[in-house]
Structures are given as structure tokens and as C-alpha cells.
Amino acid sequence: MITAIVSIVVESARIPEVAEAIVDLDGIEQVYSVTGDVDLIAVVRVRAHEDLAGVIADQLSKVTGVLDTSTNIAFKTYSKRDLDAAFDLGIDG
């Protein structure tokens, strides 16, 4: 599974509507409204790299109100559980 994080700049008056439209797209797992330089962050999960273009370029970027996107593709996923296991020295507290 390929995971990408997409930072999205949106027309400020349309943030809720754009977020709802994006989260309904196939391949979009979650959409977060955030502070900072962008308005929304979407988590995309697809089976192949080729599928990213279909989700991001062909669908997400064409949602009315989306002004700009920037995509980061994840190499590896770390979770709290993964990190706890990596740093566990086997010493019981």
C-alpha cells in the first residue's frame, strides 16, 4: 500500500465543503483541517504509485475551491506501537 500526505491550499470560505468533497474521493483515508501554511491535509492510500495520479491530479486537484497542492510520499510508517517495540529493552518496570 502506498501512502501519500497531500497539503492543500483552499479558498478560505470553502474549507468545510472542500474537505467533505475530498474525503468522499476513492483513495482518500482522512482529511484534516489544520493551521499553518495550508488549509487541509489529506492522507491518500492506494495500491500502486500510478494510482496516485488518478486520485491527486485527476480528482483532488480538480475539486472546486482547491487552489494548490503539495504531495509527500511516505517511505515507511511508524506508529507509537512500532516505536515502543523498537526501544523496548526487555526490562520490566
Side-chain angles (χ1 to χ4, degrees):
M1 194 63 99
I2 308 298
T3 301
I5 294 83
V6 183
S7 301
I8 310 162
V9 177
V10 177
E11 292 175 17
S12 59
R14 296 191 39 81
I15 292 172
E17 295 86 0
V18 172
E20 290 175 13
I22 291 172
V23 79
D24 285 339
L25 299 174
D26 287 338
I28 303 293
E29 289 285 319
Q30 296 138 337
V31 176
Y32 298 93
S33 176
V34 297
T35 62
D37 297 337
V38 298
D39 303 299
L40 300 172
I41 294 180
V43 178
V44 180
R45 289 204 174 89
V46 294
R47 293 194 184 277
H49 283 95
E50 297 80 22
D51 298 332
L52 287 173
V55 174
I56 298 167
D58 295 339
Q59 295 180 59
L60 188 152
S61 66
K62 294 179 181 175
V63 170
T64 302
V66 171
L67 302 176
D68 191 32
T69 65
S70 175
T71 302
N72 294 285
I73 298 172
F75 292 130
K76 180 171 174 51
T77 301
Y78 296 91
S79 69
K80 181 165 176 26
R81 183 174 304 145
D82 294 337
L83 293 175
D84 286 346
F87 292 106
D88 183 7
L89 299 176
I91 301 171
D92 292 328

